[in-house]
Amino acid sequence: MNDTDPKSRPGPAIIPRSEHNISRANISPNALKVLYRLKNAGYDAFLVGGGVRDLLLGKHPKDFDVVTNARPEEIRQLFRNCRLIGRRFRLAHVRFGRDIVEVATFRAAVSEADDERLHAETGRIIRDNVYGSIDEDAWRRDFTCNALYYNIADFSVWDYVGGLEDLRAHTLRLIGDPETRYREDPVRMLRAVRFAAKLDFTIAPETAAPIPTLGHHLLHVPPARLFDELLKLFHAGYAARSFELLLQYDLFRYLFPATQASLEGPSGEAALAFIRQGLANTDERVRADKPVTPMFLYAVFLWFPILELARTLQGEGRGELESIVEASQRIVAEQTARTSFPKRFSAPMKEVLALQWRFEERRGARAARFLAHKRFRAAYDFLLLRARCGEVDPSLAEWWTEVQHMTPEEQRKALGLGGRRRRRRRRSGRNAPTLDASA
Ligand code: ATP
Ligand code: MG
């Protein structure tokens, strides 16, 4: 497959409707509306990317992306419910209530020869908003299975890059020279892992080979983009598998450096078991349609590094709670610089970790108040994970499980609270540092 010289690139294999399984019945009505309106206005209009791939695999796509030769301004004129977005490249979002269909104009790849201002020194593309034709658009996509087009004009599938064959063989193959493509956009390494995990595909040997030596290019990717990518990796129901592949390809260290250090340290095996269990829980929740949050995800990854640093600080004579607060602070700051960790998630995470020590205190008014704490539930979920991994005595978690189901009278007994007798506040209790605003 020679794709370096655009003139020598083959045209598309066109697979007619009778020879593939994509039915309009499985395409969202809104995506169809967009495709037909573009076609009726005289433009070319195709579905592309994950939508086509998943339909061909007989899966339910989570969304549908449309590409066309209409320019963003022209798209806007066709749809009243349309907004142009994006800085790196302009896209149209056509809105139908809560559903959005993304419409992009065909783009050409930016080759290194084109304009060095478009590339950083590492070969990374920093701007690639160059419109093109469909046969240029196909070659700038990442994997062959993501570069299949469904043509609304005659319901055929267009394949420029051998995507159908790879799809049938369950092979994930990068289009073009892998090393160049990873340098252009290092996130493609994470995408390789993500699709391999999600689709249960094998990464083609040439596509896989350069990854372990190019991982460090991820250090140049903006932290906010890595955060977005992390959520796609770990909140899509394939977190456990994605994690194993990130380790296998030695990419994990560039995402969670402190966690990697823990994995390589004396408690490495325990840390590994803990993360695996945490991610298995996340996958279970996604499958059961329960909400998941980056707060929990980061807690799973950062717990061991924070615990270990806190122990070191304690060894230097700092107090228990002070050490955990300080360790959380430092590890979170380091992590935020690498992959972003918005405050609305990191603040509650720090709280949940610091609250783990409150579970040791099973008697008295403070324990009773803890039950009503607004982070109790999240802290308790995390305690369950720790107990499941033998990181804390399981009987402690059981006790907190039982006490939640007791009647108020039973609770008072379990917590060792007397009748109406007033008790004097303990001075030490009032002066002890606490994170708990309600305490
Ligand atoms: P998903 O089902 O997870 O949404 P997807 O394949 O649709 O998978 P998107 O991130 O939605 O993935 O991207 C849509 C399409 O855009 C991809 O299928 C691919 O063709 C192209 N694409 C996305 N990101 C890149 C990239 N970094 N480099 C090249 N092409 C990309
Ligand atoms: Mg998509």
Side-chain angles (χ1 to χ4, degrees):
M1 186 167 65
N2 179 4
D3 60 285
T4 44
D5 175 11
K7 287 184 209 76
S8 69
R9 287 172 180 166
I14 296 180
I15 296 89
R17 171 65 189 95
S18 56
E19 287 168 37
H20 66 72
N21 67 322
I22 297 184
S23 155
R24 271 165 293 160
N26 297 324
I27 301 173
S28 87
N30 294 333
L32 283 174
K33 266 186 232 166
V34 171
L35 288 164
Y36 277 123
R37 172 124 10 134
L38 285 162
K39 175 181 124 47
N40 293 338
Y43 297 109
D44 297 334
F46 295 80
L47 280 184
V48 70
V52 180
R53 177 196 69 217
D54 291 350
L55 285 175
L56 287 165
L57 288 170
K59 301 183 185 218
H60 288 287
K62 69 175 165 40
D63 47 38
F64 292 93
D65 296 324
V66 170
V67 272
T68 175
N69 57 352
R71 295 295 167 94
E73 292 301 334
E74 296 171 322
I75 300 167
R76 182 159 59 183
Q77 276 163 22
L78 280 181
F79 300 95
R80 265 205 276 160
N81 45 341
C82 173
R83 235 159 42 96
L84 299 187
I85 60 137
R87 262 196 243 157
R88 194 156 166 260
F89 30 79
R90 291 185 92 196
L91 296 171
H93 272 181
V94 184
R95 185 181 282 279
F96 300 88
R98 294 182 63 190
D99 186 25
I100 290 176
V101 179
E102 199 171 282
V103 187
T105 306
F106 294 133
R107 294 209 306 272
V110 179
S111 79
E112 300 219 30
D114 284 347
D115 187 339
E116 63 190 24
R117 282 170 307 168
L118 299 183
H119 289 85
E121 269 165 31
T122 55
R124 189 162 65 91
I125 291 182
I126 37 205
R127 195 166 69 75
D128 60 350
N129 200 8
V130 181
Y131 298 124
S133 58
I134 183 169
D135 36 284
E136 291 167 304
D137 190 271
W139 297 94
R140 64 146 193 101
R141 293 190 176 267
D142 49 6
F143 302 98
T144 58
C145 63
N146 283 348
L148 294 162
Y149 296 78
Y150 172 82
N151 187 359
I152 197 64
D154 62 2
F155 317 124
S156 60
V157 169
W158 290 24
D159 179 8
Y160 286 86
V161 293
L164 272 172
E165 200 183 315
D166 285 336
L167 201 71
R168 286 194 192 109
H170 289 194
T171 299
L172 194 72
R173 188 188 310 281
L174 205 55
I175 299 168
D177 172 56
E179 185 162 340
T180 310
R181 301 303 313 280
Y182 290 137
R183 282 175 187 276
E184 283 174 359
D185 182 4
V187 168
R188 286 174 187 148
M189 294 185 270
L190 300 178
R191 289 176 62 85
V193 162
R194 173 156 80 85
F195 292 124
K198 170 180 156 161
L199 305 171
D200 203 7
F201 275 25
T202 307
I203 307 180
E206 320 80 69
T207 299
I211 298 180
T213 53
L214 294 177
H216 62 96
H217 286 268
L218 286 170
L219 299 176
H220 305 294
V221 176
R225 186 158 177 232
L226 291 180
F227 179 72
D228 291 346
E229 211 51 42
L230 283 186
L231 300 191
K232 292 185 193 171
L233 273 162
F234 293 114
H235 280 173
Y238 310 92
R241 220 147 67 192
S242 298
F243 174 63
E244 301 302 330
L245 289 173
L246 289 174
L247 289 180
Q248 187 186 324
Y249 289 106
D250 203 22
L251 295 175
F252 186 72
R253 68 176 65 250
Y254 303 107
L255 300 172
F256 289 93
T259 313
Q260 180 77 31
S262 292
L263 290 170
E264 289 169 4
S267 311
E269 270 179 46
L272 185 64
F274 183 78
I275 293 171
R276 282 179 171 154
Q277 186 62 55
L279 297 179
N281 290 5
T282 303
D283 286 341
E284 253 170 57
R285 289 185 67 89
V286 172
R287 259 166 229 155
D289 253 330
K290 290 188 190 159
V292 286
T293 155
M295 191 262 274
F296 187 83
L297 183 70
Y298 275 71
V300 166
F301 284 131
L302 300 182
W303 174 240
F304 269 74
I306 289 173
L307 208 54
E308 285 162 8
L309 179 55
R311 280 197 197 117
T312 308
L313 293 173
Q314 251 185 294
E316 291 165 4
R318 315 272 287 266
E320 194 174 55
L321 186 58
E322 186 197 342
S323 298
I324 198 77
V325 170
E326 169 79 19
S328 298
Q329 201 67 30
R330 287 200 215 166
I331 299 281
V332 165
E334 183 187 317
Q335 187 59 42
T336 306
R338 184 62 59 90
T339 63
S340 290
F341 186 17
K343 265 224 175 65
R344 65 182 186 282
F345 304 121
S346 65
M349 185 205 77
K350 288 176 188 169
E351 223 179 331
V352 161
L353 298 192
L355 285 171
Q356 295 305 306
W357 278 265
R358 286 275 297 263
F359 288 112
E360 310 284 344
E361 219 176 316
R362 292 192 227 181
R363 296 179 78 78
R366 240 169 84 83
R369 278 198 305 272
F370 185 29
L371 276 167
H373 191 287
K374 79 171 192 281
R375 300 276 176 231
F376 176 81
R377 185 70 215 189
Y380 166 74
D381 280 345
F382 198 73
L383 177 76
L384 287 185
L385 173 62
R386 293 173 63 211
R388 215 164 150 178
C389 296
E391 205 247 306
V392 68
D393 185 353
S395 69
L396 184 66
E398 275 161 33
W399 189 87
W400 283 100
T401 305
E402 282 162 19
V403 79
Q404 289 176 71
H405 296 112
M406 291 176 180
T407 64
E409 198 42 48
E410 290 168 335
Q411 261 185 7
R412 297 179 66 79
K413 243 194 195 153
L415 293 161
L417 296 173
R420 295 181 172 276
R421 200 156 44 88
R422 284 200 173 204
R423 298 178 54 198
R424 285 181 55 189
R425 262 172 173 265
R426 280 186 9 241
R427 285 196 67 81
S428 63
R430 195 170 50 189
N431 293 339
T434 174
L435 283 181
D436 168 12
S438 73

